[in-house]
Amino acid sequence: GSLILPKIVPELSKLTMFNGAPFNDFRSSMSLPPTHMHSFSETKVQRMKSPISASLWRQYNKDHMTRTYPSGSRVDSSNYKPLVPWAMGCQLVALNFQSDDCAMSLNDGRFHENGGCGYVRKPISILQTGDEHATKNEILLKIRVLSGCCLPKPHGEKAGEVIDPYVIVRVHDVLEAAGSDSITSSLRKDFLETSERKTKPIRDNGFCPQWKSEVFCFPIHSPDIAMVEFV
């Protein structure tokens, strides 16, 4: 009969730090050796929205690795928002780096922390689970846009009309706080919430526009995970 070769040569597997493992459920996965890692596409990430799944996933990620990656249907190399996998404690959140989009801005912002070394410690709310979990502290973030300086023309254009700049302030937040089992969390359709406010445009002034805008107020559900984006 014909010889069927294994997909991974055993000798090579022994040299690999993390081995991919099929996923059935997190309770079973927690009994696997820490060197066994799950890889989930964003499609599977979206299916794990219940508080129970979120809590078990975080517990699994305390001792094991999870890699998430964009769906294969993203033929335009677009991205999913990385906040939800981060909020679940995933250590490897892969993105399409060739796309200069919101997801890449959030990724750059997150990993500018810790001196830009490429590693960021997980928030305490993710490291703690169950009875250890700290009390959820929602806050109210207030932002006032004052002014700008030497703003470029859109799309890097060197010439053209003088711009009429405005500023968009976005807050990307995770509604289901780490470890939360509240009734309101179980009724959420999605973890991710994006709130947006925009200043008025300043006519013909990209050099030193001044807005001194009204105060924009954003309720923050997960302060150690939420991120602010200025556009």
Side-chain angles (χ1 to χ4, degrees):
S2 59
L3 178 65
I4 300 178
L5 296 176
K7 291 184 178 180
I8 301 177
V9 178
E11 292 80 3
L12 180 60
S13 178
K14 291 180 181 179
L15 298 175
T16 307
M17 181 175 294
F18 295 108
N19 295 303
F23 172 76
N24 293 311
D25 63 86
F26 284 117
R27 296 189 189 279
S28 300
S29 297
M30 289 179 201
S31 63
L32 295 173
T35 53
H36 284 56
M37 178 179 72
H38 289 319
S39 291
F40 297 145
S41 73
E42 63 173 292
T43 306
K44 180 162 282 188
V45 172
Q46 289 299 319
R47 290 202 291 264
M48 298 180 187
K49 294 180 180 179
S50 73
I52 295 177
S53 295
S55 179
L56 290 173
W57 196 1
R58 290 190 194 94
Q59 189 174 343
Y60 168 82
N61 281 333
K62 289 181 69 175
D63 303 302
H64 297 77
M65 296 282 286
T66 298
R67 178 180 75 100
T68 67
Y69 56 92
S71 170
S73 62
R74 291 185 179 271
V75 294
D76 58 350
S77 295
S78 58
N79 277 307
Y80 62 111
K81 297 289 180 65
L83 261 76
V84 170
W86 288 339
M88 299 300 108
C90 297
Q91 299 88 348
L92 301 174
V93 182
L95 298 172
N96 289 317
F97 267 51
Q98 64 269 42
S99 297
D100 184 15
D101 55 14
C102 173
M104 278 303 301
S105 294
L106 296 174
N107 189 77
D108 288 345
R110 178 68 74 199
F111 288 95
H112 266 82
E113 297 179 34
N114 199 19
C117 71
Y119 293 89
V120 177
R121 179 179 171 83
K122 293 181 184 181
I124 295 298
S125 65
I126 296 176
L127 293 173
Q128 296 175 333
T129 58
D131 296 336
E132 303 172 352
H133 184 259
T135 303
K136 176 181 174 183
N137 293 316
E138 295 187 359
I139 64 173
L140 183 66
L141 175 66
K142 298 181 180 180
I143 296 176
R144 168 178 263 173
V145 180
L146 297 178
S147 63
C149 180
C150 300
L151 300 179
K153 298 182 188 298
H155 311 298
E157 296 291 338
K158 299 297 183 182
E161 295 183 359
V162 179
I163 62 174
D164 304 328
Y166 57 89
V167 178
I168 300 173
V169 182
R170 295 192 186 114
V171 170
H172 304 271
D173 197 3
V174 178
L175 290 172
E176 198 267 342
S180 170
D181 293 318
S182 67
I183 296 176
T184 55
S185 295
S186 65
L187 296 177
R188 304 286 193 189
K189 291 180 64 179
D190 201 349
F191 285 139
L192 189 63
E193 177 184 70
T194 301
S195 303
E196 179 177 302
R197 300 291 297 276
K198 185 169 68 173
T199 68
K200 296 178 181 179
I202 302 297
R203 304 291 296 180
D204 299 326
N205 188 348
F207 182 65
C208 56
Q210 297 185 38
W211 290 278
K212 298 179 181 178
S213 70
E214 63 178 297
V215 176
F216 299 150
C217 297
F218 300 92
I220 307 297
H221 303 277
S222 303
D224 56 358
I225 299 171
M227 299 187 71
V228 182
E229 178 189 17
F230 296 93
V231 180

